[in-house]
Amino acid sequence: MVATKIIQRIFILGYVIIVGFFLFCGFALIVMAGLELWHGLWISEQASLRNRFDSILESIGLLTIAVAAFELGQTVLEEEVVRKAGMSAPTRVRRFLSRFLIVVVVSLSIECLVAVFQLMHKEPAFLPQAAMIGVAAAGLLIAWGYFLRQNILVEELEPEAMAVVKSEDHKVEQ
């Protein structure tokens, strides 16, 4: 029992460190996006409009990844540290995967748009590869929908587990 408690605390410490790294990386990406945006908007620089546009798009891409880093950090913090929830109930698994996949699908969709805008004028031959990012996002969205549908059927078999997971929500809301 004591060994299990010690190991659980080590895991929580590991999760807190991971959340810290996600937070640090998110802020670093925001700084990089700001620098890229400044580069794109700097008037006195002799850059073409196309280069400015690419810098602004790159800034959008960096901000998208920063949002993903923050969301993943927040998800790990809420699910693993605040709730101290193991992945034992289907509801917990669905909630964790849903939060993660929202970030991934939205990020991939935005990256697809950024890639299309960048490649449309520079390298049109690579547009099929950019389109595959969109196809991957759509595939994830379809698979996620299927998973949710199947998971709801499992949750109906365990109504008491659903009640326990919902009762944990007050920990995060505080």
Side-chain angles (χ1 to χ4, degrees):
M1 249 353 218
V2 174
T4 304
K5 294 268 186 201
I6 292 171
I7 292 171
Q8 285 177 336
R9 290 176 195 236
I10 291 170
F11 274 110
I12 289 174
L13 177 64
Y15 286 127
V16 168
I17 291 169
I18 289 169
V19 168
F21 278 129
F22 273 127
L23 193 62
F24 179 78
C25 290
F27 282 120
L29 286 165
I30 289 172
V31 169
M32 291 170 61
L35 292 172
E36 193 69 40
L37 182 61
W38 181 256
H39 177 72
L41 296 176
W42 186 251
I43 303 298
S44 68
E45 190 175 308
Q46 296 298 329
S48 70
L49 190 57
R50 177 90 239 144
N51 288 341
R52 291 174 191 273
F53 180 71
D54 288 342
S55 290
I56 293 170
L57 282 179
E58 188 64 30
S59 177
I60 291 170
L62 290 168
L63 288 172
T64 301
I65 298 168
V67 168
F70 286 137
E71 276 296 320
L72 290 173
Q74 182 179 3
T75 299
V76 170
L77 179 68
E78 290 177 0
E79 296 295 328
E80 300 297 338
V81 177
V82 175
R83 282 193 180 99
K84 297 179 185 168
M87 293 295 149
S88 58
T91 304
R92 287 188 181 119
V93 174
R94 179 185 50 78
R95 179 182 285 170
F96 187 83
L97 282 177
S98 292
R99 291 185 70 180
F100 176 74
L101 285 175
I102 286 169
V103 172
V104 172
V105 169
V106 169
S107 297
L108 282 175
S109 300
I110 292 171
E111 277 299 316
C112 177
L113 287 173
V114 169
V116 167
F117 283 130
Q118 284 180 330
L119 295 172
M120 202 164 43
H121 300 287
K122 279 186 177 179
E123 303 279 341
F126 289 119
L127 281 173
Q129 285 86 341
M132 289 308 295
I133 297 171
V135 170
L140 277 173
L141 193 57
I142 291 167
W144 178 32
Y146 178 76
F147 171 78
L148 289 178
R149 177 72 179 127
Q150 296 305 312
N151 197 259
I152 288 171
L153 298 174
V154 172
E155 284 178 0
E156 290 173 358
L157 298 174
E158 295 183 341
E160 54 287 334
M162 180 71 160
V164 169
V165 171
K166 285 186 176 182
S167 72
E168 294 172 345
D169 287 344
H170 77 279
K171 292 179 185 177
V172 175
E173 292 170 358
Q174 293 176 349

